[in-house]
Amino acid sequence: MNRDALFSARGPVLCVVGARPNFMKVAPILHAFAAHEPAVPTLLVHTGQHYDADMNDRLFVDLRLPVPDINLEVGSGTHAVQTADAMRRFEPVLDANNPSCVIVVGDVNSTLACTLVAVKKGVPVAHVEAGLRSFDRSMPEEINRVLTDQIADLLYTTELAAHDNLAREGVDAARVRFVGNVMIDSLLANRALAIPPERTLRSANCAAPIDTAGGFGVVTLHRPSNVDRRDVLEPLLEVLRDVSARLPLVFAMHPRTRASIDRLGLGELVSEARIAVLPPQGYLEMLGLMSAATLVLTDSGGMQEETTALGVPCLTLRENTERPITIEQGTNTLVGRDRGAIEHEVSEILAGRGKRGRVPELWDGRAAERITADLVAWLAGRRAQAPA
Ligand code: UD1
């Protein structure tokens, strides 16, 4: 099949990124499109939901992502403003480029915004990382997941639980394909390039250096449900302070969390503990930190999967997860915000009884290749059926 036959009816495949967790999912897809014979023509659209150098630019370099062809520069705002701005600015991009399809990943506001615009204009949408459900509709990401999956044309999944979730929501199984985990494609492709933690800690120049020779934990926190309110954030920081008396911690702090700690005057809880506070880290720095960590404490979705792939115990500071396979097969344990549970699990890990887990099916570094093969065949089939 030559390139013209494949892509003449319509323009390029348009890939959307918006926020940090999208970048490591789209990178392997773009690389697989480029490696396909013939190469799949693409356009990279960044909605600009994340824009800081720390949240954005460093990851583009680390992941060898091209400069986006189009940046919608929506920036921060309420959910309504951010979603609406992305929608308004995305529509003319579709008009101007006539894409053969749109690829969206994950569950951020940009994922839903661009899906909604494309589907209403009759442009097919493929959702990568479909079908994950926390069953917690107070999470903005859960709303984005449910709605995106209802209307997207192709749903690529990372684990089989997603198929049950989609079936329960009445989604036709013909739209759903189990391909594995593109996030783990990125992890495996970059593992050898990971930056050693000593180098990261040295160059971060933290106010309170810590000694990591005897092991360390990595912390990230950014969910609104964990960081926005004093009655939640303060006890969480107290637990981290207490854990740090047993195991020094490296806390890569999201801007939302940093702003909340400052606003609530909780800085001393962190600064007086054995906690090195770093700005948001690059991909290769974070990979180096996680790979060498004794444990990870997080509310991130992606890090639950990455620690499972790395075999590093992960304590998830949430009541639920949309990624149950990381618990059933991987190294993840849900501890919520329960001080007793957190301290118990930390003790178990320090005593060498942490979960070792195994790597789930198809988390093998080739998910993007499978998506490419499937999508190319699907587009060719559509074209064959289209009226001349
Ligand atoms: C978003 C995603 C979430 C994802 C997370 C990873 C949604 C609904 N949420 O949440 O799923 O796990 O990204 O980071 O899409 N900010 C900066 N610099 C930036 C970006 C944001 O300072 O480059 C600040 C914003 O001004 C805001 C805060 O960080 O105060 C939150 O940013 P926002 O994009 O609204 O949501 P996240 O919490 O990052």
Side-chain angles (χ1 to χ4, degrees), residues 113-286:
C114 296
T115 299
L116 194 48
V117 175
V119 166
K120 286 199 170 180
K121 292 183 86 76
V123 179
V125 173
H127 181 209
V128 174
E129 202 189 81
L132 299 180
R133 296 291 181 269
S134 65
F135 304 102
D136 174 2
R137 293 212 173 178
S138 70
M139 280 178 84
E141 294 82 0
E142 182 76 350
I143 306 300
N144 294 339
R145 293 181 197 117
V146 169
L147 296 179
T148 300
D149 287 339
Q150 273 300 321
I151 57 178
D153 297 83
L154 289 176
L155 302 174
Y156 292 116
T157 64
T158 54
E159 58 173 284
L160 291 172
H163 295 243
D164 299 337
N165 297 336
L166 292 166
R168 213 179 303 111
E169 292 169 13
V171 172
D172 181 355
R175 284 163 56 205
V176 188
R177 289 106 204 267
F178 177 41
V179 290
N181 195 329
V182 285
M183 184 135 206
I184 305 308
D185 290 7
S186 270
L187 182 142
L188 295 175
N190 289 291
R191 204 173 170 181
L193 304 172
I195 295 176
E198 310 75 53
R199 182 133 68 92
T200 300
L201 287 166
R202 223 180 306 123
S203 52
N205 231 342
C206 356
I210 54 162
D211 180 10
T212 55
F216 65 95
V218 171
V219 180
T220 77
L221 271 184
H222 76 281
R223 297 264 159 233
S225 55
N226 275 338
V227 305
D228 285 0
R229 285 173 25 205
R230 173 188 293 280
D231 61 326
V232 177
L233 183 58
E234 188 167 14
L236 260 181
L237 293 178
E238 284 168 2
V239 181
L240 293 178
R241 178 197 59 200
D242 295 351
V243 169
S244 81
R246 292 197 279 165
L247 182 73
L249 299 176
V250 178
F251 192 162
M253 204 177 273
H254 190 280
R256 178 181 206 105
T257 311
R258 158 76 67 195
S260 203
I261 288 177
D262 291 348
R263 177 170 48 84
L264 299 169
L266 297 174
E268 279 185 6
L269 275 177
V270 181
S271 62
E272 290 178 358
R274 264 206 312 170
I275 301 179
V277 178
L278 272 48
Q281 290 299 295
Y283 185 73
L284 299 176
E285 283 86 355
M286 206 60 200

Side-chain angles (χ1 to χ4, degrees), residues 287-370:
L287 198 48
L289 285 168
M290 280 192 292
S291 307
T294 309
L295 59 85
V296 170
L297 283 149
T298 189
D299 61 6
S300 150
M303 285 170 66
Q304 295 172 50
E305 296 184 339
E306 289 166 333
T307 46
T308 276
L310 291 167
V312 172
C314 178
L315 303 181
T316 294
L317 301 162
R318 286 174 46 189
E319 306 297 336
N320 54 51
T321 180
E322 58 288 338
R323 295 162 159 89
I325 205 166
T326 61
I327 295 184
E328 288 149 18
Q329 297 184 18
T331 56
N332 192 16
T333 306
L334 286 184
V335 289
R337 297 189 284 260
D338 178 339
R339 170 182 284 272
I342 296 168
E343 293 194 338
H344 171 75
E345 293 301 332
V346 168
S347 299
E348 288 293 295
I349 294 165
L350 293 181
R353 292 191 293 268
K355 273 172 112 171
R356 293 185 202 286
R358 64 187 155 93
V359 178
E361 187 184 357
L362 297 190
W363 291 22
D364 58 358
R366 306 190 63 178
E369 268 174 50
R370 289 189 276 270

Side-chain angles (χ1 to χ4, degrees), residues 19-21 49-52 55 76-77 79 82 107-110 140-141 144 222-224 254-256:
R20 185 171 63 173
Q49 190 180 331
H50 283 176
Y51 45 82
D52 276 2
M55 298 291 283
S76 301
H79 285 269
Q82 203 171 51
D107 55 18
V108 302
N109 288 338
S110 305
E141 294 82 0
N144 294 339
H222 76 281
R223 297 264 159 233
H254 190 280
R256 178 181 206 105

